[in-house]
């Protein structure tokens, strides 16, 4: 075997060994990255699955305009609309809304609210008693029992 054939064979073998090594090293990195992506995707799917079982009940209050007649009775009263909405992706059951504090005169109970469903209640109360009001909403859903949120107005 002459010198040029030997160099040529050596270069070919080295190129083959380097190519095989590069292939397996690159394949290993790709498999590691794929495993990480699979784990992230599984976690995302689990989170989405949990979100599908959660309801999110919130309370909002809209104060109506003051009455046009200024009788003493109307002067001390304020009226408004209390809106209870389920912003979650699951149906809320056994919903209880109550006003927190000394003047807790607002209590509502609703059997169930579907996702994006709401109920409105018109209410009249003494002026000043609704300012800085705090409501507690409690409900049951597929995620758990007696879930709650506190809403400050």
């Amino acid at each position: 075997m002459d010198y040029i054939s030997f160099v040529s064979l050596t270069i070919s073998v080295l190129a083959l060994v380097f190519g095989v090594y590069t292939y397996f090293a690159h394949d290993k990195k790709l498999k590691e990255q794929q495993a990480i992506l699979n784990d992230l995707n599984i976690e995302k799917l689990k989170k989405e699955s949990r979100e599908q079982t959660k309801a999110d009940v919130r309370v909002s209050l809209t104060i109506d305009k003051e009455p046009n007649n200024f009788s003493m009775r109307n002067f001390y009263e304020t009226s408004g609309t209390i809106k209870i909405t389920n912003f979650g992706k699951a149906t809320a059951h056994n919903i209880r809304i109550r006003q927190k504090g000394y003047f807790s005169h607002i209590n509502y109970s609703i059997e169930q609210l579907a996702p994006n469903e709401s109920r409105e209640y018109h209410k009249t109360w003494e002026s000043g008693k609704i300012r800085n009001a705090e409501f507690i909403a409690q409900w049951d859903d597929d995620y758990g029992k007696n879930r709650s949120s506190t809403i400050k107005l």
Side-chain angles (χ1 to χ4, degrees):
M1 184 187 271
D2 63 342
Y3 178 71
I4 293 177
S5 299
F6 179 73
V7 170
S8 184
L9 180 63
T10 305
I11 291 173
S12 297
V13 170
L14 287 175
L16 179 66
V17 170
F18 181 72
V20 169
Y21 171 76
T22 303
Y23 171 77
F24 284 111
H26 183 67
D27 188 52
K28 181 180 177 185
K29 286 182 183 178
L30 284 177
K31 286 181 180 177
E32 288 172 355
Q33 289 174 349
Q34 188 64 42
I36 291 170
L37 289 174
N38 287 344
D39 290 343
L40 291 173
N41 197 23
I42 289 170
E43 187 61 35
K44 179 183 174 188
L45 291 173
K46 284 181 181 178
K47 183 178 179 183
E48 287 175 0
S49 177
R50 283 191 304 265
E51 291 299 319
Q52 293 293 328
T53 63
K54 287 184 181 180
D56 183 16
V57 178
R58 298 184 199 166
V59 178
S60 62
L61 176 69
T62 305
I63 303 290
D64 297 337
K65 291 182 179 178
E66 294 294 327
N68 290 333
N69 57 353
F70 290 103
S71 68
M72 284 305 284
R73 180 175 188 265
N74 288 333
F75 182 72
Y76 290 107
E77 289 184 351
T78 302
S79 63
T81 303
I82 296 172
K83 186 175 183 179
I84 303 165
T85 307
N86 179 6
F87 287 100
K89 295 181 180 180
T91 301
H93 301 279
N94 191 23
I95 302 143
R96 288 112 33 222
I97 307 294
R98 66 181 174 86
Q99 184 180 358
K100 188 176 178 182
Y102 181 72
F103 299 107
S104 358
H105 57 282
I106 297 176
N107 288 305
Y108 294 107
S109 182
I110 303 169
E111 185 65 30
Q112 76 176 24
L113 273 179
N116 297 318
E117 183 181 3
S118 62
R119 303 268 172 90
E120 293 183 357
Y121 300 94
H122 189 74
K123 180 75 175 166
T124 303
W125 54 89
E126 290 182 34
S127 292
K129 289 191 178 179
I130 200 64
R131 303 219 187 278
N132 300 321
E134 194 171 337
F135 289 92
I136 297 174
Q138 289 183 307
W139 66 92
D140 301 333
D141 57 20
D142 295 336
Y143 188 75
K145 302 280 186 204
N146 290 323
R147 295 191 59 225
S148 66
S149 67
T150 303
I151 300 97
K152 294 181 182 180
L153 304 177

